Amino acid sequence: ACIGEKLDERESGRTDEVNARQLAAIREHVEDWSQIVVAHEPVWAIGTGKVATPEKPGDYESVRAWLAKNVSQDAARDTRILYGGSVTDKNAGDLIQRPDVDGFLVGGASLKDAFTEIEERATITSNEVSSLLRELFQRWSNLSYLTRPFAQSACDVILII
């Protein structure tokens, strides 16, 4: 499931409201939340070169609080949240160290040579997350995906959106 706000929504402090509205729309179609990964991809970061700061890529505590209130405590605890806002080789190491970032949704950078650097930075700091993501993605036979030939990486699988 992909959620994300526009720049004016972020700047006016409405990110939580937008995420809640989008999660509510998703909830109507989900029976088993153990099969869901939430990817936060800010619309304002797509192809703009603007990147969230590593200190605050997204407010995932509010996403988990929404899940706890509207789905279950298990969903709040277990749902993996990926960050997808212009992840690059320059910011991946800092972003993956955030306790609320479980991995990445890598777009255009996956087609560049620097992707291997993103993979290496994610591997060094997040082998457990990579294993969990690989397991989840293997369950999703109905999604289109591209598997990169790297072992032990949080970015082994890239969703094609």
Side-chain angles (χ1 to χ4, degrees), residues 59-75:
D59 185 0
Y60 304 141
E61 288 179 17
S62 68
V63 171
R64 293 197 192 282
W66 186 93
L67 289 167
K69 179 179 178 185
N70 296 283
V71 180
S72 71
Q73 290 293 329
D74 288 345

Side-chain angles (χ1 to χ4, degrees), residues 2 6 19-20 22 41 59 64 67 75 77 83 93 96 110-111 117 120-121 124 131 151:
C2 193
K6 296 177 184 173
N19 288 343
Q22 293 172 352
E41 185 165 22
D59 185 0
R64 293 197 192 282
L67 289 167
R77 181 192 64 237
Y83 179 68
I96 199 64
S110 68
L111 303 175
E117 293 179 40
E120 288 169 4
R121 286 176 173 85
I124 292 168
S131 176

Side-chain angles (χ1 to χ4, degrees), residues 3-161:
I3 61 174
E5 75 282 1
K6 296 177 184 173
L7 184 58
D8 65 316
E9 294 167 330
R10 181 178 177 96
E11 289 177 345
S12 64
R14 297 186 333 218
T15 298
D16 292 349
E17 172 190 332
V18 172
N19 288 343
R21 183 182 71 241
Q22 293 172 352
L23 287 166
I26 294 164
R27 181 186 60 194
E28 296 176 16
H29 303 284
V30 175
E31 293 180 22
D32 182 1
W33 279 84
S34 70
Q35 299 295 311
I36 299 298
V37 171
V38 174
H40 175 243
E41 185 165 22
V43 176
W44 54 265
I46 299 171
T48 64
K50 295 183 179 186
V51 181
T53 62
E55 296 79 30
K56 189 170 174 66
D59 185 0
Y60 304 141
E61 288 179 17
S62 68
V63 171
R64 293 197 192 282
W66 186 93
L67 289 167
K69 179 179 178 185
N70 296 283
V71 180
S72 71
Q73 290 293 329
D74 288 345
R77 181 192 64 237
D78 298 338
T79 299
R80 300 292 172 215
I81 301 176
L82 308 181
Y83 179 68
S86 296
V87 175
T88 68
D89 57 316
K90 306 285 188 269
N91 63 18
D94 291 331
L95 288 168
I96 199 64
Q97 291 183 40
R98 295 278 312 169
D100 50 351
V101 174
D102 296 316
F104 301 130
L105 176 65
V106 181
S110 68
L111 303 175
K112 299 177 182 174
D113 290 339
F115 179 76
T116 58
E117 293 179 40
I118 296 171
E119 183 268 335
E120 288 169 4
R121 286 176 173 85
T123 300
I124 292 168
T125 58
S126 189
N127 283 326
E128 182 179 336
V129 169
S130 67
S131 176
L132 291 170
L133 287 172
R134 202 169 16 264
E135 178 184 330
L136 286 171
F137 285 127
Q138 287 173 352
R139 294 184 200 171
W140 293 353
S141 59
N142 61 334
L143 290 178
S144 296
Y145 61 88
L146 169 67
T147 303
R148 298 292 297 222
F150 303 115
Q152 299 300 315
S153 167
C155 300
D156 274 354
V157 178
I158 300 158
L159 295 180
I160 298 178
I161 56 173

